[in-house]
Each structure stands twice: as structure tokens, then as C-alpha cells.
């Protein structure tokens, strides 16, 4: 009996030892880089436990404006201090003299630190090049001047550039063949998403110092600078945004208290987005909220800006003449217009004063000959279908703009035969939807003589050493264009909106640049009286450089129109161009 008990105990002990050894083998040899269901890298965790680390750069590619200025982050030369300095004698007075601070402030900051930090708290002091050089020439262990990449709360062109996430599920779904760290961020929205394959981190840049249990030096006082093995990374995504113009555009949109809407400014010759502002603003604590949606790439009802489409068709179909007059005291249904009677107007004045009756009448006439004409001309001027750059890059289809919507003219094809529906559609109501970006591109198309081109948000991607990974050439939008003759007539009509005494853009007459454009007010909810207010145009009129759309969405009759904001943007551009 006693012998049997000993055998049982020995067996249990043997099983426990084998289990323990097996567990140790698993931890030490088998699952060191992916332990447990959480896939913990035990080697990294062990190193992290006995190290003090200051991350200089997460290794993900960065965004820059067209002039090489950083967007979405700042590159700030900062003073980095390590906690082990409190356990040694170091020339704090010399460092304080270089940066213009007090010696005691440095000593106190180090004494209170538990990990490496950039001196200055939440807003680290920014060093000059000479200060950075002087500090590093001292060669003090634990004291460094480094360029640290800092992500601010308020980011420019936030919806265009987009957001990132750490989602393990998304990483596995998108990159099943890559062994990405749990700390690796991937693109979720905007250009962060569409250029994610270029932007993926090849490893962090960091300062590492090994410590003992008390935080003291483990192997002397050497601090190692660790950077990605591939010196070509992180890449630089060179956007078409002009940082200075973007900053001023965002300030103006907020000054006009636009809470839903924004503006888009295009370089006509290069077909590039110079500035794009979308409101509601993106909130850092709510990255998936309404503020994450880029309103400039989202379908909206355009109202009378769409009359530009109807006007193009009317010119081509020959249904207008200088002598033909339209009764603009009537509504599109033929009733007396109690709100905005305009009298008898010719076609040019009808466009300048935005007479609904004229364009409803012309559209129903043309529809008898061609029921599809509104859709055809909307395509010719590029307001339906995507206008963002899309093409083949290294045998992969790249679409620059994230979830750009396409726009439409008709919701149901049967409505093309209904005269009331044709009349409403001709003035940009009923089912008509287009994006502010597409409207800006329509103005650019007219300004450049009828040539439709895709719009770029990124001009090229560069390696870290400045060599080009890929650039994005100008590309045409496929399909028919309007004729040169029709283009010239549209240019004259758009200029008349501003120059005519009663034109809806008369407020823009005395700007430093001559402007051509079209206003629009679209009813979006009859019960609540909500409106979309637009002004779309281009400037300078004779030598066009910029196309601009300003828009306030789901606003009220009492709110300001969009011509004052348009005017202020033109003034800013002229001022910057004159410098």
C-alpha cells in the first residue's frame, strides 16, 4: 500500500515536472514571438521591461505639402533627457545656458522623470539648429538634441489626410502575410487608407537605454539610437496641399461659422487640390463620427450651380437667341412668383440673375428632342462619376481619394418623361446630386477650355532619401467634352454673374482678381426650410489659375450666402501670390 502511494506521488510529480518543462520550452523556444492568444512577443516584452525608450518616430510614412512642409505632424528639434541623469553628475548649467533655461528647472525635471522625455512638458521647447549642434557636441550621456515628430490635436485637411488604427483584426485581414507588431498603425480613412501600402512602418526610430531594477544604468551610460534597417523608410507622401493657404482657408471657414460644409480650391493647370476644408471638424476622441466624413467628396444637392449644365445644352441645341425673352415673374410651374419676381429677361440676364423659369422652359423643350440631354451634359462637364485621380501603379489600381461619391442626375429613368421633373432637375433640384469637388472641377474644366482632367491630392511618393517611388501624371477624364465654342459662351455667362448689376455674384466685382462663377441655393428639406448655399467659380478670369467652391450645407435662409467667403479666399490668394 505504502509502495503504491509512493508510485502515485512520483507519477504526479513527474507529470508536473514534464508539464513545467514543456511550458518553459514553449515560452523560451517555441512561442517567444507569439505567446498566448494575445500573440505577445516575449522577447520584445523582456527588452522593454529592462529598457528606457523614447520613440522619436513611429516609422510610418508622413504627409507633406507641395512645398515640403509637414502636414498632420510637426518635426521639432527638442532636448531629450534620460532619468538616469539624476544618478550621475552632469553639466546641467552648460545645457541650461545653451537653451536659455534655468539649471534648476533641468535638474527638477530629471528628478521627477521615470522615463525619457522631451524637456518642456506638453509643449517641448523648440531648439534652433545652432542650439541642437551645441548640445550634441557636449556628448553628455542621456542628453540629446533630436528631431522629434509630434502629432498635434488640430490637424490640417484632416478628412482628406484621414486617420489610422491599431486594429489587429484589420491587420490580419489586409496584410495576412506580414508579421506586424501590435503597435503598428494602419490606415483607416482618407489618404492614410488609400496610401497605406506605401506608408506601413518598417520599424521605429528610438533612443534606448538599458536599466536595472532601480532604473540605474545596466551597462554603463551608453544610449543607443535604433532606426529601421532600411534607410529608404519612412516614405514621404507629397500632397498637392499648400499648407499656408490651407491654414488660412480653415480659419476663414470657421470665421464664417460654417458647421456643415467647407470649401475646395483647385490649381487649374495642374488639376490639383490646393486646399480642402470639411466641416464638421474631425475630433480626435471620435474618429468615426460625422466629422470623419469628407463633405467635399460627398454628394449634395447643388441647386442653381447646375444651371451651368442646362446652359451648355441650350447653347448647343440652339434654343436661345439674343432676342428671345423669358417671363421671370413666373415659377417653374407657371404660377406668379411671389418671392422673387425678376421681370422679362433674356438668356444672359436669366443666367446672371438665376431665373428658374428660363431654365425650366429650355429644359422641357430640349427634352422633347433628347430626354437624356441633362445626364449627357453632366458627364461632359464631369459632375457625375468620380473625378479624383485613379490609375495603375505597379500593376495595382490606386484611387487617391477615399470613398469619393459619384453624383447623379436621375434617381429613376422614368422621370425623364415628366415635364415637372425635368423642370426641377434643370435647376439642380429633384434628384440631382454632386460633390463640391466635382463642381470645382467643372469650373476648372470650363476655365481650361473644356478639357476634363482627374484631380490629384498627391503629386508623388518619395523614399526617405528624396528619390521618387512613384509620381502621378495628369490624366484625362474619359468621355466627350463640350466644344470650344460652348466653353467660351459658358465663360462669358459665368463672368456676367459677377459683372451684371443684378447678378447673384455682383458682390465679387471689385476683387483684386476678376472672378467668374455661379451661385446656387438648393432646398434640402421643405418642412424645416433647410438649404444648401453654394458659390462655384474660377479666377483670374482672363488667365485662370484657381477654381473654388464654397458651400454651406443644410443651413437656413437667414445664414450668410457663400459669396463673402468666396471673396475673402480670393483676397487671401491674391495676397499670397503677390508676395
Amino acid at each position: 500500500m505504502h509502495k503504491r502511494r509512493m508510485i502515485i506521488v512520483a507519477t504526479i510529480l513527474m507529470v508536473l515536472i514534464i508539464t513545467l518543462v514543456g511550458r518553459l520550452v514553449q515560452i523560451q523556444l517555441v512561442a517567444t514571438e507569439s505567446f498566448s492568444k494575445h500573440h505577445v512577443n516575449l522577447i520584445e516584452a523582456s527588452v522593454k521591461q529592462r529598457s528606457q525608450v523614447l520613440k522619436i518616430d513611429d516609422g510610418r510614412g508622413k504627409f507633406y505639402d507641395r512645398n515640403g512642409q509637414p502636414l498632420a505632424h510637426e518635426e521639432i528639434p527638442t532636448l531629450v533627457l534620460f532619468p538616469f541623469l539624476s544618478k550621475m553628475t552632469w553639466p546641467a548649467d552648460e545645457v541650461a545656458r545653451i537653451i536659455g533655461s534655468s539649471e534648476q528647472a533641468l535638474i527638477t525635471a530629471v528628478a521627477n522623470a521615470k522615463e525619457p522625455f522631451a524637456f518642456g512638458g506638453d509643449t517641448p521647447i523648440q531648439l534652433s539648429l545652432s542650439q541642437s549642434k551645441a548640445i550634441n557636441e557636449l556628448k553628455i550621456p542621456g542628453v540629446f538634441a533630436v528631431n522629434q515628430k509630434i502629432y498635434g490635436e488640430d490637424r490640417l485637411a484632416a478628412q482628406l489626410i484621414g486617420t489610422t488604427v491599431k486594429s489587429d483584426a484589420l491587420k490580419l485581414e489586409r496584410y495576412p502575410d506580414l508579421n506586424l507588431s501590435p503597435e503598428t498603425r494602419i490606415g483607416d480613412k482618407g489618404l492614410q487608407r488609400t496610401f497605406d501600402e506605401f506608408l506601413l512602418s518598417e520599424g521605429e526610430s528610438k533612443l534606448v537605454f538599458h536599466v536595472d531594477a532601480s532604473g540605474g544604468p545596466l551597462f554603463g551610460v551608453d544610449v543607443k539610437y535604433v532606426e529601421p534597417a532600411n534607410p529608404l523608410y519612412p516614405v514621404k507622401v507629397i500632397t498637392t496641399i499648400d499648407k499656408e493657404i490651407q491654414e488660412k482657408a480653415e480659419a476663414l471657414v470657421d470665421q464664417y461659422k460654417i458647421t456643415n460644409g467647407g470649401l475646395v480650391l483647385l490649381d487649374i493647370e495642374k488639376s490639383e487640390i490646393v486646399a480642402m476644408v470639411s466641416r464638421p471638424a474631425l475630433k480626435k476622441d471620435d474618429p468615426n463620427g460625422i466629422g470623419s466624413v469628407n463633405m467635399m467628396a460627398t454628394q449634395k444637392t447643388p441647386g442653381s450651380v447646375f444651371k451651368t449644365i442646362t446652359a451648355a445644352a441650350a447653347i448647343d441645341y440652339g434654343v436661345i437667341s439674343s432676342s428671345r425673352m423669358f417671363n421671370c415673374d413666373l415659377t417653374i410651374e407657371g404660377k406668379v412668383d411671389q418671392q422673387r419676381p425678376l421681370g422679362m429677361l433674356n438668356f444672359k440676364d436669366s443666367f446672371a440673375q438665376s431665373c428658374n423659369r428660363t431654365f425650366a422652359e429650355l429644359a422641357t423643350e430640349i427634352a422633347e428632342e433628347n430626354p437624356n440631354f441633362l445626364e449627357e451634359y453632366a458627364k461632359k462637364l464631369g459632375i457625375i462619376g468620380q473625378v479624383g485621380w485613379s490609375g495603375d501603379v505597379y500593376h495595382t489600381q490606386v484611387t487617391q481619394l477615399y470613398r469619393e461619391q459619384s453624383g447623379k442626375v436621375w434617381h429613376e429613368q422614368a422621370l425623364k418623361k415628366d415635364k415637372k421633373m425635368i423642370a426641377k432637375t434643370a435647376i439642380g433640384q429633384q434628384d440631382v446630386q454632386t460633390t463640391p469637388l466635382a463642381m470645382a472641377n467643372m469650373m476648372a474644366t470650363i476655365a481650361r477650355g473644356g478639357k476634363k482632367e482627374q484631380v490629384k491630392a498627391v503629386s508623388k511618393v518619395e523614399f526617405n532619401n528624396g528619390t521618387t517611388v512613384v509620381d502621378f501624371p495628369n490624366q484625362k477624364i474619359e468621355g466627350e467634352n463640350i466644344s470650344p465654342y460652348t466653353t467660351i459662351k459658358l465663360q462669358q455667362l459665368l463672368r456676367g454673374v459677377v459683372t451684371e448689376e443684378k447678378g447673384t455674384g455682383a458682390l465679387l466685382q471689385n476683387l483684386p482678381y476678376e472672378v467668374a462663377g455661379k451661385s446656387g441655393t438648393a432646398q434640402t428639406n421643405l418642412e424645416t426650410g433647410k438649404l444648401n448655399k453654394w458659390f462655384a467659380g474660377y479666377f483670374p478670369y482672363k488667365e485662370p489659375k484657381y477654381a473654388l467652391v464654397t458651400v454651406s450645407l443644410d443651413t437656413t435662409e437667414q445664414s450668410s450666402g457663400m459669396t463673402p467667403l468666396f471673396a475673402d479666399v480670393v483676397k487671401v490668394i491674391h495676397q499670397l501670390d503677390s508676395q
Side-chain angles (χ1 to χ4, degrees):
M1 189 71 176
H2 180 69
K3 184 177 179 181
R4 184 182 174 192
R5 196 176 293 134
M6 287 180 65
I7 291 172
I8 292 172
V9 170
T11 302
I12 292 171
L13 289 173
M14 185 62 70
V15 170
L16 289 173
I17 291 170
I18 291 171
T19 302
L20 180 59
V21 170
R23 185 64 164 170
L24 288 171
V25 169
Q26 181 193 16
I27 293 171
Q28 295 288 337
L29 300 175
V30 178
T32 54
E33 296 184 7
S34 183
F35 179 69
S36 82
K37 64 180 181 181
H38 301 292
H39 305 289
V40 177
N41 189 318
L42 295 174
I43 295 174
E44 285 185 1
S46 174
V47 171
K48 187 175 180 181
Q49 189 177 35
R50 65 175 187 270
S51 302
Q52 288 182 351
V53 178
L54 180 69
K55 184 164 66 177
I56 307 299
D57 185 350
D58 64 3
R60 184 170 175 81
K62 304 295 187 294
F63 292 91
Y64 296 82
D65 85 338
R66 65 199 310 176
N67 301 310
Q69 296 298 309
L71 294 170
H73 74 286
E74 290 184 87
E75 297 176 4
I76 300 177
T78 59
L79 173 64
V80 171
L81 301 172
F82 276 68
F84 67 75
L85 288 167
S86 63
K87 300 178 182 294
M88 58 182 283
T89 301
W90 61 289
D93 58 335
E94 186 71 10
V95 176
R97 182 188 62 78
I98 292 172
I99 68 172
S101 182
S102 72
E103 178 184 355
Q104 189 56 48
L106 288 171
I107 293 171
T108 301
V110 169
N112 293 332
K114 294 183 179 178
E115 54 189 29
F117 65 98
F119 180 67
D122 293 334
T123 53
I125 61 166
Q126 187 165 344
L127 305 176
S128 66
L129 288 175
S130 60
Q131 287 174 321
S132 297
K133 182 180 179 182
I135 286 169
N136 287 332
E137 283 180 349
L138 293 175
K139 297 183 179 179
I140 305 169
V143 180
F144 302 91
V146 299
N147 284 332
Q148 190 169 17
K149 291 185 172 63
I150 298 174
Y151 296 87
E153 290 290 329
D154 300 320
R155 291 179 293 145
L156 294 174
Q159 294 87 353
L160 175 65
I161 291 176
T163 54
T164 58
V165 292
K166 286 185 180 180
S167 170
D168 289 335
L170 271 180
K171 289 174 200 172
L172 189 61
E173 176 188 334
R174 202 179 298 171
Y175 306 111
D177 299 328
L178 298 181
N179 184 23
L180 298 177
S181 161
E183 295 301 309
T184 300
R185 304 191 71 89
I186 60 172
D188 185 41
K189 296 180 180 68
L191 296 176
Q192 292 277 19
R193 175 65 186 93
T194 55
F195 282 82
D196 195 41
E197 287 80 358
F198 292 99
L199 295 164
L200 275 177
S201 175
E202 291 281 319
E204 300 176 343
S205 297
K206 53 194 175 184
L207 293 172
V208 180
F209 179 72
H210 297 292
V211 296
D212 59 22
S214 67
L218 187 61
F219 304 119
V221 289
D222 287 334
V223 175
K224 292 183 178 180
Y225 176 67
V226 180
E227 61 182 347
N230 191 337
L232 297 176
Y233 290 85
V235 300
K236 297 178 179 180
V237 176
I238 310 301
T239 73
T240 60
I241 295 292
D242 184 299
K243 186 174 184 177
E244 189 172 7
I245 295 175
Q246 181 72 30
E247 287 174 338
K248 292 181 182 298
E250 297 207 13
L252 282 172
V253 167
D254 293 335
Q255 179 183 317
Y256 277 88
K257 296 181 170 56
I258 296 175
T259 56
N260 188 4
L263 64 81
V264 54
L265 177 71
L266 303 182
D267 181 313
I268 291 173
E269 182 182 355
K270 296 179 180 178
S271 194
E272 294 179 346
I273 299 170
V274 179
M276 179 176 277
V277 183
S278 176
R279 296 291 182 265
L282 176 64
K283 295 181 179 179
K284 190 174 182 180
D285 58 355
D286 188 18
N288 296 312
I290 186 64
S292 67
V293 177
N294 188 348
M295 294 298 176
M296 299 303 98
T298 304
Q299 292 180 1
K300 299 297 174 185
T301 308
S304 293
V305 184
F306 187 82
K307 288 174 185 171
T308 310
I309 305 295
T310 310
I315 293 165
D316 281 358
Y317 278 84
V319 293
I320 54 173
S321 65
S322 57
S323 60
R324 182 173 180 178
M325 303 296 286
F326 300 88
N327 188 353
C328 293
D329 284 336
L330 302 179
T331 66
I332 60 173
E333 292 90 2
K335 299 176 183 178
V336 175
D337 192 335
Q338 303 288 348
Q339 294 183 323
R340 197 168 171 264
L342 299 172
M344 298 297 293
L345 299 177
N346 61 22
F347 178 67
K348 180 182 177 183
D349 290 338
S350 292
F351 191 86
Q353 298 181 43
S354 205
C355 168
N356 289 338
R357 176 67 187 179
T358 299
F359 291 89
E361 195 174 316
L362 291 170
T364 52
E365 287 180 24
I366 299 171
E368 289 181 5
E369 182 178 341
N370 179 7
N372 299 313
F373 84 95
L374 285 173
E375 204 162 37
E376 289 174 2
Y377 276 80
K379 288 179 180 177
K380 285 183 179 183
L381 282 164
I383 70 162
I384 56 176
Q386 294 179 335
V387 300
W389 197 98
S390 181
D392 187 66
V393 177
Y394 298 131
H395 307 294
T396 301
Q397 188 72 13
V398 171
T399 299
Q400 288 195 0
L401 297 179
Y402 177 74
R403 292 188 177 175
E404 177 198 357
Q405 295 184 353
S406 294
K408 64 178 180 179
V409 174
W410 299 101
H411 180 60
E412 294 179 16
Q413 296 300 308
L415 297 178
K416 295 179 183 178
K417 299 177 182 179
D418 187 321
K419 289 187 176 182
K420 288 183 178 180
M421 296 300 102
I422 294 168
K424 288 182 179 180
T425 302
I427 62 170
Q429 290 285 169
Q430 193 55 34
D431 299 329
V432 180
Q433 296 280 288
T434 189
T435 68
L437 174 65
M439 273 299 181
N441 200 41
M442 178 183 78
M443 290 296 166
T445 297
I446 294 169
R448 68 168 75 95
K451 287 171 54 183
K452 291 182 298 186
E453 292 189 354
Q454 295 179 358
V455 180
K456 290 176 284 184
V458 172
S459 60
K460 61 181 175 179
V461 179
E462 292 181 346
F463 285 123
N464 197 37
N465 63 1
T467 58
T468 299
V469 181
V470 59
D471 56 15
F472 299 94
N474 282 17
Q475 290 189 160
K476 294 179 181 179
I477 294 176
E478 296 300 323
E480 289 186 66
N481 297 330
I482 56 172
S483 70
Y485 173 80
T486 304
T487 302
I488 292 171
K489 289 299 182 183
L490 286 180
Q491 290 171 351
Q492 293 169 350
L493 287 172
L494 292 167
R495 180 62 180 152
V497 170
V498 177
T499 57
E500 294 294 322
E501 183 182 350
K502 295 182 180 179
T504 57
L507 180 68
L508 305 172
Q509 280 184 15
N510 299 316
L511 293 175
Y513 278 140
E514 291 183 333
V515 171
K518 183 72 186 77
S519 63
T521 302
Q523 294 176 331
T524 59
N525 190 313
L526 290 175
E527 293 181 4
T528 60
K530 293 293 185 181
L531 306 167
N532 290 343
K533 294 186 177 182
W534 300 68
F535 198 90
Y538 65 90
F539 58 93
Y541 173 62
K542 292 174 183 174
E543 296 180 356
K545 290 176 65 178
Y546 303 100
L548 172 64
V549 165
T550 54
V551 59
S552 183
L553 303 167
D554 289 327
T555 187
T556 61
E557 186 68 48
Q558 293 71 36
S559 67
S560 171
M562 287 296 97
T563 47
L565 173 58
F566 193 102
D568 281 346
V569 175
V570 173
K571 291 173 187 175
V572 163
I573 299 299
H574 181 267
Q575 182 182 21
L576 293 174
D577 284 351
S578 301
Q579 290 178 356

